[in-house]
Amino acid sequence: MTRTAQAKGTSARDRLLALAEVAVLEKGFAATSIDELIAGAGITKSGFFYHFKDKSELAKALMQRYVEEHNGVLAGIFTRADELNDDPLHGLLVGLKLFAEMLANLPEAHPGCLAAAFCYQDQLFNKKVRDLNAEGILRWRRRFRERFEKIAEKYPPRGPVDLEALSDMAASNVEGGLILGRVLKDVTILPRQIMLYRELVRATFLPTA
């Protein structure tokens, strides 16, 4: 079932957001029209403006939804990982493996990253939307930085390491993996990138045998 079809059973606002996300990922925000969204959602133009006063407000709602959804997915994965292993390093390694497995088991290729789509066209958005986008990335940084600081206390790195850069590498690996996967039509690239990052983390903190 397509995301558009799935959206039919939800509220008009949720249908508009789901349709807008698909359209933005396929062709960009500028090329996504209000008319196509209201047609897809099965509502009138006044119905659109009941939920969003303009396209800028739609962009803000899209980004808020994206940040919260993805933060929730990560939180769920790493909470589960910590339930399985209370060691900070091994909990992270388990979490990264669970994340890679989740992506590998998607029924179709990942549709892409809304944060990247908005970044590429950031001149179209106001400061609130740009700040929301930045906050989404900073959440990744904080999540991994806090974990790496705990890990470093128990497992001092084998050499000098910039923990903030190592934290940012989690987001950059995902973004890069999404781009490579889409360009090369290879759904295995993103989970493989995550597993390679996992091995880098292991090698950074665990002593050699």
PDB file of all heavy atoms in Angstrom, residues 94-124:
ATOM      1  N   VAL A  94      24.661  -2.314  20.180  1.00  0.00           N
ATOM      2  CA  VAL A  94      23.410  -3.032  19.945  1.00  0.00           C
ATOM      3  C   VAL A  94      22.404  -2.120  19.239  1.00  0.00           C
ATOM      4  O   VAL A  94      21.725  -2.517  18.294  1.00  0.00           O
ATOM      5  CB  VAL A  94      22.825  -3.565  21.274  1.00  0.00           C
ATOM      6  CG1 VAL A  94      21.395  -4.082  21.070  1.00  0.00           C
ATOM      7  CG2 VAL A  94      23.699  -4.674  21.837  1.00  0.00           C
ATOM      8  N   GLY A  95      22.312  -0.864  19.708  1.00  0.00           N
ATOM      9  CA  GLY A  95      21.381   0.085  19.106  1.00  0.00           C
ATOM     10  C   GLY A  95      21.678   0.329  17.635  1.00  0.00           C
ATOM     11  O   GLY A  95      20.759   0.383  16.807  1.00  0.00           O
ATOM     12  N   LEU A  96      22.946   0.478  17.296  1.00  0.00           N
ATOM     13  CA  LEU A  96      23.315   0.697  15.894  1.00  0.00           C
ATOM     14  C   LEU A  96      22.971  -0.522  15.042  1.00  0.00           C
ATOM     15  O   LEU A  96      22.523  -0.383  13.895  1.00  0.00           O
ATOM     16  CB  LEU A  96      24.804   1.028  15.789  1.00  0.00           C
ATOM     17  CG  LEU A  96      25.203   2.412  16.325  1.00  0.00           C
ATOM     18  CD1 LEU A  96      26.717   2.545  16.386  1.00  0.00           C
ATOM     19  CD2 LEU A  96      24.604   3.532  15.475  1.00  0.00           C
ATOM     20  N   LYS A  97      23.152  -1.704  15.602  1.00  0.00           N
ATOM     21  CA  LYS A  97      22.792  -2.914  14.860  1.00  0.00           C
ATOM     22  C   LYS A  97      21.276  -2.996  14.651  1.00  0.00           C
ATOM     23  O   LYS A  97      20.801  -3.331  13.562  1.00  0.00           O
ATOM     24  CB  LYS A  97      23.297  -4.159  15.581  1.00  0.00           C
ATOM     25  CG  LYS A  97      23.051  -5.459  14.808  1.00  0.00           C
ATOM     26  CD  LYS A  97      23.759  -6.626  15.428  1.00  0.00           C
ATOM     27  CE  LYS A  97      23.472  -7.918  14.669  1.00  0.00           C
ATOM     28  NZ  LYS A  97      23.872  -7.843  13.249  1.00  0.00           N
ATOM     29  N   LEU A  98      20.512  -2.665  15.690  1.00  0.00           N
ATOM     30  CA  LEU A  98      19.052  -2.662  15.560  1.00  0.00           C
ATOM     31  C   LEU A  98      18.605  -1.642  14.517  1.00  0.00           C
ATOM     32  O   LEU A  98      17.677  -1.900  13.737  1.00  0.00           O
ATOM     33  CB  LEU A  98      18.407  -2.349  16.913  1.00  0.00           C
ATOM     34  CG  LEU A  98      18.524  -3.414  18.003  1.00  0.00           C
ATOM     35  CD1 LEU A  98      17.940  -2.889  19.313  1.00  0.00           C
ATOM     36  CD2 LEU A  98      17.835  -4.710  17.587  1.00  0.00           C
ATOM     37  N   PHE A  99      19.266  -0.481  14.505  1.00  0.00           N
ATOM     38  CA  PHE A  99      18.942   0.572  13.544  1.00  0.00           C
ATOM     39  C   PHE A  99      19.212   0.088  12.121  1.00  0.00           C
ATOM     40  O   PHE A  99      18.386   0.246  11.214  1.00  0.00           O
ATOM     41  CB  PHE A  99      19.760   1.814  13.877  1.00  0.00           C
ATOM     42  CG  PHE A  99      19.402   3.048  13.092  1.00  0.00           C
ATOM     43  CD1 PHE A  99      18.102   3.291  12.663  1.00  0.00           C
ATOM     44  CD2 PHE A  99      20.371   3.995  12.796  1.00  0.00           C
ATOM     45  CE1 PHE A  99      17.771   4.437  11.948  1.00  0.00           C
ATOM     46  CE2 PHE A  99      20.054   5.147  12.094  1.00  0.00           C
ATOM     47  CZ  PHE A  99      18.760   5.363  11.664  1.00  0.00           C
ATOM     48  N   ALA A 100      20.385  -0.525  11.920  1.00  0.00           N
ATOM     49  CA  ALA A 100      20.729  -1.034  10.593  1.00  0.00           C
ATOM     50  C   ALA A 100      19.747  -2.116  10.151  1.00  0.00           C
ATOM     51  O   ALA A 100      19.325  -2.153   8.987  1.00  0.00           O
ATOM     52  CB  ALA A 100      22.157  -1.586  10.602  1.00  0.00           C
ATOM     53  N   GLU A 101      19.367  -2.994  11.071  1.00  0.00           N
ATOM     54  CA  GLU A 101      18.428  -4.064  10.725  1.00  0.00           C
ATOM     55  C   GLU A 101      17.049  -3.506  10.375  1.00  0.00           C
ATOM     56  O   GLU A 101      16.393  -3.996   9.448  1.00  0.00           O
ATOM     57  CB  GLU A 101      18.319  -5.049  11.892  1.00  0.00           C
ATOM     58  CG  GLU A 101      19.569  -5.909  12.067  1.00  0.00           C
ATOM     59  CD  GLU A 101      19.467  -6.841  13.255  1.00  0.00           C
ATOM     60  OE1 GLU A 101      18.515  -6.677  14.071  1.00  0.00           O
ATOM     61  OE2 GLU A 101      20.334  -7.723  13.390  1.00  0.00           O
ATOM     62  N   MET A 102      16.614  -2.474  11.104  1.00  0.00           N
ATOM     63  CA  MET A 102      15.327  -1.856  10.801  1.00  0.00           C
ATOM     64  C   MET A 102      15.328  -1.293   9.384  1.00  0.00           C
ATOM     65  O   MET A 102      14.376  -1.500   8.609  1.00  0.00           O
ATOM     66  CB  MET A 102      15.026  -0.740  11.801  1.00  0.00           C
ATOM     67  CG  MET A 102      13.691  -0.029  11.566  1.00  0.00           C
ATOM     68  SD  MET A 102      13.589   1.570  12.396  1.00  0.00           S
ATOM     69  CE  MET A 102      14.636   2.571  11.325  1.00  0.00           C
ATOM     70  N   LEU A 103      16.400  -0.603   9.007  1.00  0.00           N
ATOM     71  CA  LEU A 103      16.485  -0.013   7.676  1.00  0.00           C
ATOM     72  C   LEU A 103      16.611  -1.090   6.600  1.00  0.00           C
ATOM     73  O   LEU A 103      16.045  -0.963   5.511  1.00  0.00           O
ATOM     74  CB  LEU A 103      17.669   0.953   7.613  1.00  0.00           C
ATOM     75  CG  LEU A 103      17.512   2.215   8.461  1.00  0.00           C
ATOM     76  CD1 LEU A 103      18.841   2.955   8.563  1.00  0.00           C
ATOM     77  CD2 LEU A 103      16.443   3.134   7.892  1.00  0.00           C
ATOM     78  N   ALA A 104      17.339  -2.169   6.907  1.00  0.00           N
ATOM     79  CA  ALA A 104      17.506  -3.249   5.935  1.00  0.00           C
ATOM     80  C   ALA A 104      16.194  -3.974   5.677  1.00  0.00           C
ATOM     81  O   ALA A 104      16.002  -4.552   4.597  1.00  0.00           O
ATOM     82  CB  ALA A 104      18.566  -4.233   6.424  1.00  0.00           C
ATOM     83  N   ASN A 105      15.280  -3.938   6.646  1.00  0.00           N
ATOM     84  CA  ASN A 105      14.017  -4.657   6.529  1.00  0.00           C
ATOM     85  C   ASN A 105      12.865  -3.808   5.995  1.00  0.00           C
ATOM     86  O   ASN A 105      11.726  -4.269   5.949  1.00  0.00           O
ATOM     87  CB  ASN A 105      13.625  -5.246   7.888  1.00  0.00           C
ATOM     88  CG  ASN A 105      14.540  -6.377   8.306  1.00  0.00           C
ATOM     89  OD1 ASN A 105      15.057  -7.107   7.470  1.00  0.00           O
ATOM     90  ND2 ASN A 105      14.777  -6.514   9.602  1.00  0.00           N
ATOM     91  N   LEU A 106      13.155  -2.569   5.595  1.00  0.00           N
ATOM     92  CA  LEU A 106      12.103  -1.747   5.005  1.00  0.00           C
ATOM     93  C   LEU A 106      11.588  -2.416   3.731  1.00  0.00           C
ATOM     94  O   LEU A 106      12.374  -2.981   2.956  1.00  0.00           O
ATOM     95  CB  LEU A 106      12.636  -0.353   4.667  1.00  0.00           C
ATOM     96  CG  LEU A 106      12.955   0.572   5.847  1.00  0.00           C
ATOM     97  CD1 LEU A 106      13.565   1.874   5.342  1.00  0.00           C
ATOM     98  CD2 LEU A 106      11.718   0.858   6.673  1.00  0.00           C
ATOM     99  N   PRO A 107      10.267  -2.382   3.489  1.00  0.00           N
ATOM    100  CA  PRO A 107       9.717  -3.064   2.308  1.00  0.00           C
ATOM    101  C   PRO A 107      10.140  -2.446   0.984  1.00  0.00           C
ATOM    102  O   PRO A 107      10.059  -3.080  -0.060  1.00  0.00           O
ATOM    103  CB  PRO A 107       8.202  -2.941   2.510  1.00  0.00           C
ATOM    104  CG  PRO A 107       8.031  -1.744   3.390  1.00  0.00           C
ATOM    105  CD  PRO A 107       9.222  -1.754   4.296  1.00  0.00           C
ATOM    106  N   GLU A 108      10.593  -1.188   1.023  1.00  0.00           N
ATOM    107  CA  GLU A 108      11.062  -0.524  -0.192  1.00  0.00           C
ATOM    108  C   GLU A 108      12.154   0.452   0.191  1.00  0.00           C
ATOM    109  O   GLU A 108      12.437   0.664   1.374  1.00  0.00           O
ATOM    110  CB  GLU A 108       9.917   0.208  -0.889  1.00  0.00           C
ATOM    111  CG  GLU A 108       9.173   1.178   0.004  1.00  0.00           C
ATOM    112  CD  GLU A 108       7.913   1.718  -0.642  1.00  0.00           C
ATOM    113  OE1 GLU A 108       7.348   1.044  -1.518  1.00  0.00           O
ATOM    114  OE2 GLU A 108       7.503   2.821  -0.267  1.00  0.00           O
ATOM    115  N   ALA A 109      12.794   1.027  -0.790  1.00  0.00           N
ATOM    116  CA  ALA A 109      13.892   1.956  -0.527  1.00  0.00           C
ATOM    117  C   ALA A 109      13.416   3.116   0.340  1.00  0.00           C
ATOM    118  O   ALA A 109      12.290   3.592   0.199  1.00  0.00           O
ATOM    119  CB  ALA A 109      14.457   2.491  -1.842  1.00  0.00           C
ATOM    120  N   HIS A 110      14.281   3.562   1.239  1.00  0.00           N
ATOM    121  CA  HIS A 110      13.947   4.705   2.081  1.00  0.00           C
ATOM    122  C   HIS A 110      13.665   5.902   1.186  1.00  0.00           C
ATOM    123  O   HIS A 110      14.419   6.178   0.247  1.00  0.00           O
ATOM    124  CB  HIS A 110      15.111   5.005   3.027  1.00  0.00           C
ATOM    125  CG  HIS A 110      14.757   5.939   4.132  1.00  0.00           C
ATOM    126  ND1 HIS A 110      14.577   7.287   3.941  1.00  0.00           N
ATOM    127  CD2 HIS A 110      14.534   5.726   5.455  1.00  0.00           C
ATOM    128  CE1 HIS A 110      14.269   7.860   5.097  1.00  0.00           C
ATOM    129  NE2 HIS A 110      14.234   6.932   6.027  1.00  0.00           N
ATOM    130  N   PRO A 111      12.560   6.631   1.436  1.00  0.00           N
ATOM    131  CA  PRO A 111      12.181   7.715   0.520  1.00  0.00           C
ATOM    132  C   PRO A 111      13.118   8.905   0.522  1.00  0.00           C
ATOM    133  O   PRO A 111      13.082   9.727  -0.387  1.00  0.00           O
ATOM    134  CB  PRO A 111      10.785   8.111   1.016  1.00  0.00           C
ATOM    135  CG  PRO A 111      10.774   7.719   2.466  1.00  0.00           C
ATOM    136  CD  PRO A 111      11.595   6.465   2.530  1.00  0.00           C
ATOM    137  N   GLY A 112      13.959   9.034   1.540  1.00  0.00           N
ATOM    138  CA  GLY A 112      14.875  10.163   1.581  1.00  0.00           C
ATOM    139  C   GLY A 112      14.746  10.954   2.861  1.00  0.00           C
ATOM    140  O   GLY A 112      14.029  10.557   3.783  1.00  0.00           O
ATOM    141  N   CYS A 113      15.447  12.058   2.924  1.00  0.00           N
ATOM    142  CA  CYS A 113      15.535  12.848   4.148  1.00  0.00           C
ATOM    143  C   CYS A 113      14.943  14.238   3.929  1.00  0.00           C
ATOM    144  O   CYS A 113      15.424  14.995   3.083  1.00  0.00           O
ATOM    145  CB  CYS A 113      16.996  12.956   4.574  1.00  0.00           C
ATOM    146  SG  CYS A 113      17.250  14.029   5.998  1.00  0.00           S
ATOM    147  N   LEU A 114      13.920  14.559   4.701  1.00  0.00           N
ATOM    148  CA  LEU A 114      13.288  15.867   4.580  1.00  0.00           C
ATOM    149  C   LEU A 114      14.243  16.977   5.010  1.00  0.00           C
ATOM    150  O   LEU A 114      14.234  18.069   4.442  1.00  0.00           O
ATOM    151  CB  LEU A 114      12.016  15.909   5.430  1.00  0.00           C
ATOM    152  CG  LEU A 114      11.027  17.029   5.106  1.00  0.00           C
ATOM    153  CD1 LEU A 114      10.424  16.813   3.724  1.00  0.00           C
ATOM    154  CD2 LEU A 114       9.917  17.072   6.150  1.00  0.00           C
ATOM    155  N   ALA A 115      15.082  16.688   6.000  1.00  0.00           N
ATOM    156  CA  ALA A 115      16.050  17.695   6.454  1.00  0.00           C
ATOM    157  C   ALA A 115      16.979  18.100   5.318  1.00  0.00           C
ATOM    158  O   ALA A 115      17.273  19.283   5.124  1.00  0.00           O
ATOM    159  CB  ALA A 115      16.855  17.152   7.641  1.00  0.00           C
ATOM    160  N   ALA A 116      17.449  17.118   4.553  1.00  0.00           N
ATOM    161  CA  ALA A 116      18.325  17.416   3.420  1.00  0.00           C
ATOM    162  C   ALA A 116      17.569  18.180   2.339  1.00  0.00           C
ATOM    163  O   ALA A 116      18.081  19.148   1.769  1.00  0.00           O
ATOM    164  CB  ALA A 116      18.895  16.121   2.852  1.00  0.00           C
ATOM    165  N   ALA A 117      16.338  17.759   2.053  1.00  0.00           N
ATOM    166  CA  ALA A 117      15.542  18.446   1.035  1.00  0.00           C
ATOM    167  C   ALA A 117      15.327  19.911   1.394  1.00  0.00           C
ATOM    168  O   ALA A 117      15.407  20.795   0.534  1.00  0.00           O
ATOM    169  CB  ALA A 117      14.196  17.733   0.874  1.00  0.00           C
ATOM    170  N   PHE A 118      15.062  20.179   2.667  1.00  0.00           N
ATOM    171  CA  PHE A 118      14.873  21.557   3.112  1.00  0.00           C
ATOM    172  C   PHE A 118      16.186  22.327   3.093  1.00  0.00           C
ATOM    173  O   PHE A 118      16.223  23.510   2.772  1.00  0.00           O
ATOM    174  CB  PHE A 118      14.273  21.575   4.519  1.00  0.00           C
ATOM    175  CG  PHE A 118      12.763  21.482   4.543  1.00  0.00           C
ATOM    176  CD1 PHE A 118      12.078  20.701   3.632  1.00  0.00           C
ATOM    177  CD2 PHE A 118      12.024  22.185   5.475  1.00  0.00           C
ATOM    178  CE1 PHE A 118      10.696  20.612   3.643  1.00  0.00           C
ATOM    179  CE2 PHE A 118      10.634  22.114   5.501  1.00  0.00           C
ATOM    180  CZ  PHE A 118       9.968  21.323   4.585  1.00  0.00           C
ATOM    181  N   CYS A 119      17.269  21.663   3.448  1.00  0.00           N
ATOM    182  CA  CYS A 119      18.575  22.324   3.461  1.00  0.00           C
ATOM    183  C   CYS A 119      18.965  22.784   2.061  1.00  0.00           C
ATOM    184  O   CYS A 119      19.470  23.886   1.874  1.00  0.00           O
ATOM    185  CB  CYS A 119      19.621  21.361   4.020  1.00  0.00           C
ATOM    186  SG  CYS A 119      21.301  22.018   4.016  1.00  0.00           S
ATOM    187  N   TYR A 120      18.710  21.933   1.057  1.00  0.00           N
ATOM    188  CA  TYR A 120      19.086  22.270  -0.312  1.00  0.00           C
ATOM    189  C   TYR A 120      18.300  23.461  -0.850  1.00  0.00           C
ATOM    190  O   TYR A 120      18.735  24.123  -1.783  1.00  0.00           O
ATOM    191  CB  TYR A 120      18.863  21.062  -1.235  1.00  0.00           C
ATOM    192  CG  TYR A 120      19.701  19.859  -0.891  1.00  0.00           C
ATOM    193  CD1 TYR A 120      19.209  18.571  -1.098  1.00  0.00           C
ATOM    194  CD2 TYR A 120      20.976  19.993  -0.351  1.00  0.00           C
ATOM    195  CE1 TYR A 120      19.978  17.450  -0.773  1.00  0.00           C
ATOM    196  CE2 TYR A 120      21.740  18.889  -0.024  1.00  0.00           C
ATOM    197  CZ  TYR A 120      21.240  17.623  -0.236  1.00  0.00           C
ATOM    198  OH  TYR A 120      21.982  16.512   0.082  1.00  0.00           O
ATOM    199  N   GLN A 121      17.124  23.721  -0.270  1.00  0.00           N
ATOM    200  CA  GLN A 121      16.296  24.842  -0.724  1.00  0.00           C
ATOM    201  C   GLN A 121      16.025  25.819   0.424  1.00  0.00           C
ATOM    202  O   GLN A 121      14.950  26.393   0.526  1.00  0.00           O
ATOM    203  CB  GLN A 121      14.964  24.312  -1.279  1.00  0.00           C
ATOM    204  CG  GLN A 121      15.110  23.395  -2.464  1.00  0.00           C
ATOM    205  CD  GLN A 121      13.774  23.014  -3.076  1.00  0.00           C
ATOM    206  OE1 GLN A 121      12.773  23.700  -2.941  1.00  0.00           O
ATOM    207  NE2 GLN A 121      13.750  21.900  -3.773  1.00  0.00           N
ATOM    208  N   ASP A 122      17.009  25.993   1.308  1.00  0.00           N
ATOM    209  CA  ASP A 122      16.755  26.766   2.530  1.00  0.00           C
ATOM    210  C   ASP A 122      16.382  28.221   2.282  1.00  0.00           C
ATOM    211  O   ASP A 122      15.804  28.880   3.137  1.00  0.00           O
ATOM    212  CB  ASP A 122      17.933  26.681   3.500  1.00  0.00           C
ATOM    213  CG  ASP A 122      19.192  27.357   2.992  1.00  0.00           C
ATOM    214  OD1 ASP A 122      19.235  27.755   1.808  1.00  0.00           O
ATOM    215  OD2 ASP A 122      20.141  27.468   3.774  1.00  0.00           O
ATOM    216  N   GLN A 123      16.656  28.727   1.067  1.00  0.00           N
ATOM    217  CA  GLN A 123      16.272  30.102   0.758  1.00  0.00           C
ATOM    218  C   GLN A 123      14.758  30.256   0.668  1.00  0.00           C
ATOM    219  O   GLN A 123      14.235  31.375   0.703  1.00  0.00           O
ATOM    220  CB  GLN A 123      16.934  30.567  -0.552  1.00  0.00           C
ATOM    221  CG  GLN A 123      16.357  29.957  -1.817  1.00  0.00           C
ATOM    222  CD  GLN A 123      16.875  28.560  -2.122  1.00  0.00           C
ATOM    223  OE1 GLN A 123      17.644  28.012  -1.345  1.00  0.00           O
ATOM    224  NE2 GLN A 123      16.477  28.007  -3.253  1.00  0.00           N
ATOM    225  N   LEU A 124      14.036  29.136   0.566  1.00  0.00           N
ATOM    226  CA  LEU A 124      12.579  29.187   0.480  1.00  0.00           C
ATOM    227  C   LEU A 124      11.912  29.309   1.844  1.00  0.00           C
ATOM    228  O   LEU A 124      10.713  29.599   1.920  1.00  0.00           O
ATOM    229  CB  LEU A 124      12.045  27.910  -0.202  1.00  0.00           C
ATOM    230  CG  LEU A 124      12.525  27.620  -1.618  1.00  0.00           C
ATOM    231  CD1 LEU A 124      11.973  26.279  -2.074  1.00  0.00           C
ATOM    232  CD2 LEU A 124      12.083  28.729  -2.567  1.00  0.00           C
TER     233      LEU A 124
END
